[in-house]
Amino acid sequence: MLFEKEGEHMVKDFGDVLKEIRIDRGYSQQYVADGIMGQSAYSKVERSEIEPTFRKWLAILEKLNISVEEFRYILNKDSLTQKEKLINEFFLLNYNPELFIGFQKTP
């Protein structure tokens, strides 16, 4: 199921968010699953048919080059108020130092 209705907000499934991030990064299921689980098992994770263990979930996030905080934000962003979204985006800047590459002081 792509979205579940919760009150007035649409809530994304765990697997849908993984798939969205994977596709956005241009990765195949095989690439993400390699060394973590089989491709068919990973496909089931994306379809929310099974849930990975916590360690496998962390390994998947590492392979996708995304922090737990970023994942949680993407998972919940549709149910956040505008103020909560801005606060989350501000705090996520700490996890994206490459955003500041052009703004670094030169010695």
Side-chain angles (χ1 to χ4, degrees):
M1 176 184 324
L2 184 56
F3 297 100
E4 293 178 18
K5 190 156 184 140
E6 182 179 281
E8 297 179 16
H9 304 288
M10 300 301 279
V11 180
K12 293 181 183 181
D13 283 340
F14 178 89
D16 292 324
V17 174
L18 287 176
K19 182 176 182 178
E20 176 183 313
I21 296 166
R22 177 184 60 78
I23 290 171
D24 185 57
R25 302 268 197 276
Y27 298 151
S28 68
Q29 286 183 343
Q30 183 61 47
Y31 170 78
V32 176
D34 189 43
I36 302 170
M37 63 180 63
Q39 184 273 327
S40 62
Y42 180 77
S43 178
K44 290 178 182 179
V45 170
E46 283 191 356
R47 292 192 312 264
S48 298
E49 293 176 7
I50 62 171
E51 292 183 13
T53 64
F54 185 69
R55 287 180 188 235
K56 287 183 180 183
W57 178 64
L58 291 177
I60 291 167
L61 293 185
E62 185 175 330
K63 189 73 81 86
L64 292 171
N65 195 28
I66 190 164
S67 71
V68 172
E69 290 81 8
E70 289 171 306
F71 181 84
R72 288 182 59 218
Y73 173 74
I74 294 167
L75 183 65
N76 297 311
K77 72 180 175 184
D78 293 330
S79 63
L80 298 175
T81 66
Q82 186 62 29
K83 181 179 176 181
E84 290 169 326
K85 287 179 185 178
L86 289 172
I87 290 169
N88 274 306
E89 288 176 17
F90 175 77
F91 284 109
L92 288 176
L93 291 175
N94 290 326
Y95 297 100
N96 292 305
E98 64 272 4
L99 293 175
F100 297 104
I101 289 173
F103 299 102
Q104 293 177 350
K105 292 182 180 179
T106 54

